[in-house]
Amino acid sequence: MTTYNALRQLPAAAEYKKDDVLVLCGELFGRGYANGIVDEARRAGMTIIGTTVGRRDADGTLRSLTTEELAEAEATLGGKIINIPLEAGFDMEPGAGDGRSVVEQLKGVKADEWDKVRFDWNDVEHTRQQGARRFSANLGLVVTELGKMLPAGANVLFVHTMAGGIPRARIFMPLLNRVFKGQGDRFLSSETFWNSDLGKLCKVSFDEVTADTFRYLIDATAPLRDKVSARYTAYGYHGCEVLINGAYTWQSYTPYLQGWAKIRLEEVAATAWAEGIKATVFNCPEILTNSSALFLGVENSLYPLLAALEKEGNGPFAEEIKASCRALSNDGTAIDTLIAKANDYLSAPITVALRDFAGWPQHNRPEQQDFMLNCSAELLAMNKNPKEIVCAVLSQEVFKAVGRLMYDFSWKQDAPVLWLNHDVIAKRLVTA
């Protein structure tokens, strides 16, 4: 089991300079965690090199970006992108038997027959290996290009951003909406789903996309470590400490099915560390982004950050954050009201019952999910506009703070796994 290791004090400022390079393994889509560290690198004048997952044509063929797509992606990144598709996973790889991918095998499966789906697991393993070979081969081509671009002796910060892995078959999203958002008759036990063949397929896919790609990256870039000083970072999640009844307390979103893959990601970093490679997984706080919107209720744990800002010293920037939140809240809704409602949720017995670090991640329960989603709805209703919410402001500040903490810590890494909790996030923000 991973040893709990939280960053408590702000790390010293990193000393990256103009000739140093940040390499993003993954593609930026919208605003999220990766933007924070990219912004820090840009401010330092580092060269930024990105990658792409590529695109799929209508017939399913994986391809590089077109000229227009590449220009748009490079504008978003603010750097050059090596235009070789690094799509992870195996859901569209042809099977060994009749050649059908798992996505093709799931076409036409009806919503009420999902639990009757059965896979040939030898065939699934065949497609997994096919996907891994494709990814690794393309990653090798990317590394060859990097070898031409990286200055000898440079400090190179590799940032792994690949996560997820939900197979691209239509049957999954309705089911996962029931798992994460279902109430009453629409509730679906995450444990029931996870133990089904569709759930087992998700587990293999999550492991491959979220965790194994980090190992592939570390292995593929081994030749570059003779030329440059390499550091590796990745984004994890394993619960987070937030202020509950005035004390920083570990808690977690439930159900988080990707949690097992995140533990595997931590294990990849620990193995690399034992081999003398500087690789750190940063377990980040909950935020609300386009990709996390499936996990409705995850944002309940964001509101205590407002209390953490006060506890860690407040200051002008913290006041700006709170002013932005007040402006988005319903008239008459005070910051303290948001904090108190979130605290009620986090301190309720039904929530506390799932606060089990050793047994993480936990599966959902009907009454727990009802309570979480109802609290989420109440908190979201405290915003004037459902499209402009307090959580968006707090999420943006969290990923900026996380980006700076990761950036600075990576200069002198001293651990393979690190928790970034609300205490150090608030410390970072109040001293911004």
Side-chain angles (χ1 to χ4, degrees), residues 82-93:
I82 298 173
N83 194 14
I84 297 169
L86 286 183
E87 179 187 275
F90 57 88
D91 59 341
M92 296 185 73
E93 296 294 324

Side-chain angles (χ1 to χ4, degrees), residues 242-243 251 286-288 296-310 321-322 325 329 333-346 375-383 389-395 398 422:
V242 304
L243 273 177
Q251 52 75 54
E286 300 86 353
I287 61 172
L288 192 63
L296 189 61
V298 70
E299 78 288 349
N300 290 351
S301 301
L302 255 174
Y303 298 95
L305 180 62
L306 291 162
L309 291 172
E310 296 180 6
I321 296 171
K322 289 189 283 186
C325 292
S329 301
T333 298
I335 293 293
D336 287 347
T337 304
L338 294 170
I339 295 171
K341 180 61 186 175
N343 191 76
D344 288 345
Y345 163 73
L346 291 163
C375 288
S376 171
E378 289 180 43
L379 281 160
L380 292 174
M382 294 180 187
N383 294 274
I389 59 177
V390 167
C391 287
V393 172
L394 296 177
S395 295
V398 168
H422 276 200

Side-chain angles (χ1 to χ4, degrees), residues 97-117:
D98 57 11
R100 291 189 304 156
S101 68
V102 292
V103 169
E104 290 171 321
Q105 292 174 45
L106 291 170
K107 283 182 179 177
V109 174
K110 296 178 181 178
D112 59 354
E113 297 177 346
W114 67 270
D115 55 346
K116 297 180 178 62
V117 171

Side-chain angles (χ1 to χ4, degrees), residues 29-141:
F29 294 103
R31 296 291 287 176
Y33 269 124
N35 296 88
I37 198 166
V38 169
D39 289 346
E40 291 300 322
R42 187 180 297 117
R43 270 193 286 273
M46 294 177 73
T47 299
I48 299 172
I49 301 174
T51 59
T52 176
V53 297
R55 301 292 183 270
R56 290 275 179 179
D57 286 331
D59 64 358
T61 302
L62 180 64
R63 61 168 175 80
S64 299
L65 302 180
T66 64
T67 302
E68 294 77 12
E69 290 166 343
L70 180 61
E72 182 179 350
E74 290 187 332
T76 298
L77 176 67
K80 179 177 176 54
I81 287 177
I82 298 173
N83 194 14
I84 297 169
L86 286 183
E87 179 187 275
F90 57 88
D91 59 341
M92 296 185 73
E93 296 294 324
D98 57 11
R100 291 189 304 156
S101 68
V102 292
V103 169
E104 290 171 321
Q105 292 174 45
L106 291 170
K107 283 182 179 177
V109 174
K110 296 178 181 178
D112 59 354
E113 297 177 346
W114 67 270
D115 55 346
K116 297 180 178 62
V117 171
R118 296 293 181 267
F119 290 108
D120 177 337
W121 292 105
N122 289 328
D123 189 52
V124 170
E125 176 59 16
H126 169 83
T127 59
R128 188 200 66 77
Q129 291 181 12
Q130 289 258 99
R133 282 194 291 269
R134 168 184 50 74
F135 180 87
S136 296
N138 283 358
L139 181 57
L141 297 175

